[in-house]
Amino acid sequence: MNKTRKLMGLAAALAFAMVMLPASAFADTTQYDLFVNGEQFTSEKLTIECGEGTATYDPATHTLTLNNASIANTTGCGGIASKLTGDLTITLQGSNHITFDDNMGIMAAGNVEITGPGNLAINVAGETRDGLSVAGDVSVRATKHRR
């Protein structure tokens, strides 16, 4: 009888612990159709290290922020590869670089808007490689630093 009570108590404690876990503990990881420096953004990985800087993705606004990012010589999908169904905004903070010997700089399936107070240099080599390869429109809008 004493063993039964202990087992019942353990089962109740386990059930209580499961109820108290957040729903996100059981959620699947969402993979976004956006790659930077050869790595894919997911709901669990929204920031990717790029040299001394970072690339951060906000899926709610489809905004990729480059902050002193250095993207170089990644195999496969190029510097920034977007197969997102909507538009992509790339916000620049600081000095950012995409450098490849034989790959694309930025590839996107939709429109791309580049904005922010920072800058971006794209240097690619190879006969069939482009700095920008975008299926939609590209717009560049500089914003000034506020003091």
Side-chain angles (χ1 to χ4, degrees):
M1 184 88 156
N2 197 15
K3 270 188 170 179
T4 304
R5 277 190 172 171
K6 284 183 181 180
L7 285 174
M8 294 285 284
L10 181 61
L14 184 59
F16 179 75
M18 294 296 283
V19 169
M20 296 307 292
L21 282 175
S24 62
F26 300 105
D28 289 330
T29 300
T30 301
Q31 294 183 332
Y32 302 108
D33 285 333
L34 181 63
F35 297 78
V36 169
N37 217 19
E39 294 185 54
Q40 184 174 21
F41 286 100
T42 69
S43 56
E44 294 180 359
K45 185 174 190 175
L46 294 173
T47 298
I48 294 173
E49 289 185 28
C50 300
E52 298 293 318
T54 58
T56 304
Y57 179 59
D58 180 351
T61 62
H62 294 273
T63 300
L64 174 65
T65 301
L66 300 180
N67 189 352
N68 293 309
S70 179
I71 302 168
N73 291 321
T74 304
T75 59
C77 61
I80 298 171
S82 171
K83 295 179 186 174
L84 297 170
T85 56
D87 299 341
L88 175 65
T89 299
I90 301 174
T91 301
L92 305 174
Q93 300 290 328
S95 183
N96 302 278
H97 305 275
I98 299 174
T99 306
F100 287 103
D101 293 332
D102 192 23
N103 215 328
M104 299 284 195
I106 298 174
M107 296 179 293
N111 298 324
V112 173
E113 178 183 14
I114 300 173
T115 186
N119 59 59
L120 174 63
I122 301 174
N123 297 303
V124 296
E127 290 182 24
T128 60
R129 303 305 179 187
D130 297 320
L132 290 170
S133 179
V134 177
D137 296 328
V138 175
S139 62
V140 179
R141 186 173 44 110
T143 57
K144 295 181 181 182
H145 292 284
R146 292 189 178 176
R147 296 180 195 241

